[in-house]
């Protein structure tokens, strides 16, 4: 991950620090970050399993795309539920490009299949490059025939991550934190005024 950040000009470290970081094991990193993570609200999964259609969509692991060209993107939804999934609340649809880190977001009133696709089309129209590939989790807002048909008609490669393997979508997970949560926080958004605020933020 250090090499990727350096390649895109996002990270510059003294050589002594860089060499130690590259040699550090994942368990050591987790141990050192434990006290920092405790200061942030703990997220929980709001992904609901998609239909049997997911058996027809190829699985892509975190290192499955080696392309250096823009257009292969990870996509996800972020819940603005304030820690409780009871009742109705809003969502953010987020998309990030694997090669460049370019990120686009759009608010959702619900996580319905057609609304998610409609906002995905809006995001696609704003991208400065052609959308070539789309990788999602296994939620029903993505694993549905509406999205499959859209991808087939527009020659977009559709893949999905392995269930319960968030590292397969490490880029979008990072952007959910550094972009979506950074600007919207962890509060509950459920009123019309709050939705208009999400529109302004995104």
């Amino acid at each position: 991950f250090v090499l990727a950040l350096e390649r895109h000009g996002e990270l510059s470290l003294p050589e002594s620090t860089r060499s130690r970081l590259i040699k550090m094991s994942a368990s050591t990193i987790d141990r050192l970050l434990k006290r920092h993570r405790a200061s942030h609200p703990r997220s929980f999964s709001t992904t609901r399993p998609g239909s049997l259609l997911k058996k027809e969509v190829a699985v892509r692991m975190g290192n499955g795309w080696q392309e250096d060209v823009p257009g292969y993107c990870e996509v996800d939804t972020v819940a603005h539920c304030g820690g409780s999934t009871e009742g109705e609340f809003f969502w953010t649809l987020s998309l990030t490009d694997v090669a460049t880190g370019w990120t686009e977001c759009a608010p959702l009133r619900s996580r319905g299949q057609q609304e998610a696709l409609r906002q995905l089309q809006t995001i696609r129209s704003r991208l400065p490059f052609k959308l070539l590939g789309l990788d999602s989790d296994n939620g029903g807002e993505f694993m549905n025939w509406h999205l499959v048909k859209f991808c087939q008609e527009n020659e977009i490669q559709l893949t999905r991550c392995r269930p319960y393997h968030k590292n397969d979508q490490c880029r979008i997970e990072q952007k959910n934190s550094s972009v979506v949560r950074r600007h919207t926080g962890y509060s509950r958004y459920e009123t019309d005024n709050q939705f208009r605020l999400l529109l302004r933020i995104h």
Side-chain angles (χ1 to χ4, degrees), residues 27-44:
S27 60
T28 300
I29 293 173
D30 285 338
R31 177 172 50 80
L32 293 174
L33 291 177
K34 186 175 181 180
R35 63 188 179 90
H36 298 287
R37 288 173 174 161
S39 64
H40 294 279
R42 183 172 177 84
S43 61
F44 57 95

Side-chain angles (χ1 to χ4, degrees), residues 117-133:
L117 177 57
R118 186 166 55 251
Q119 292 302 332
L120 182 60
Q121 291 171 312
T122 298
I123 287 177
R124 179 182 177 231
S125 70
R126 300 198 304 248
L127 294 174
F129 45 77
K130 183 178 180 181
L131 183 59
L132 302 173

Side-chain angles (χ1 to χ4, degrees), residues 2-3 13 15-29 32:
V2 172
L3 299 178
L13 297 171
E15 185 54 37
S16 59
T17 303
R18 181 180 182 276
S19 60
R20 291 176 63 190
L21 183 58
I22 290 176
K23 294 176 183 177
M24 195 177 295
S25 68
S27 60
T28 300
I29 293 173
L32 293 174

Side-chain angles (χ1 to χ4, degrees), residues 87-100:
E88 300 294 325
F89 50 87
F90 303 138
W91 302 76
T92 288
L93 177 69
S94 57
L95 175 145
T96 191
D97 178 62
V98 171
T100 66

Side-chain angles (χ1 to χ4, degrees), residues 94-161:
S94 57
L95 175 145
T96 191
D97 178 62
V98 171
T100 66
W102 186 282
T103 301
E104 293 280 348
C105 300
L108 302 173
R109 286 191 175 273
S110 71
R111 205 166 41 157
Q113 298 175 4
Q114 293 184 337
E115 182 172 4
L117 177 57
R118 186 166 55 251
Q119 292 302 332
L120 182 60
Q121 291 171 312
T122 298
I123 287 177
R124 179 182 177 231
S125 70
R126 300 198 304 248
L127 294 174
F129 45 77
K130 183 178 180 181
L131 183 59
L132 302 173
L134 200 60
D135 184 73
S136 74
D137 61 22
N138 296 272
E141 72 272 34
F142 301 120
M143 290 297 102
N144 61 77
W145 288 109
H146 299 293
L147 182 59
V148 169
K149 182 180 178 182
F150 167 74
C151 289
Q152 290 174 342
E153 290 177 347
N154 293 279
E155 299 181 340
I156 298 170
Q157 179 185 353
L158 178 63
T159 58
R160 64 184 178 89
C161 68

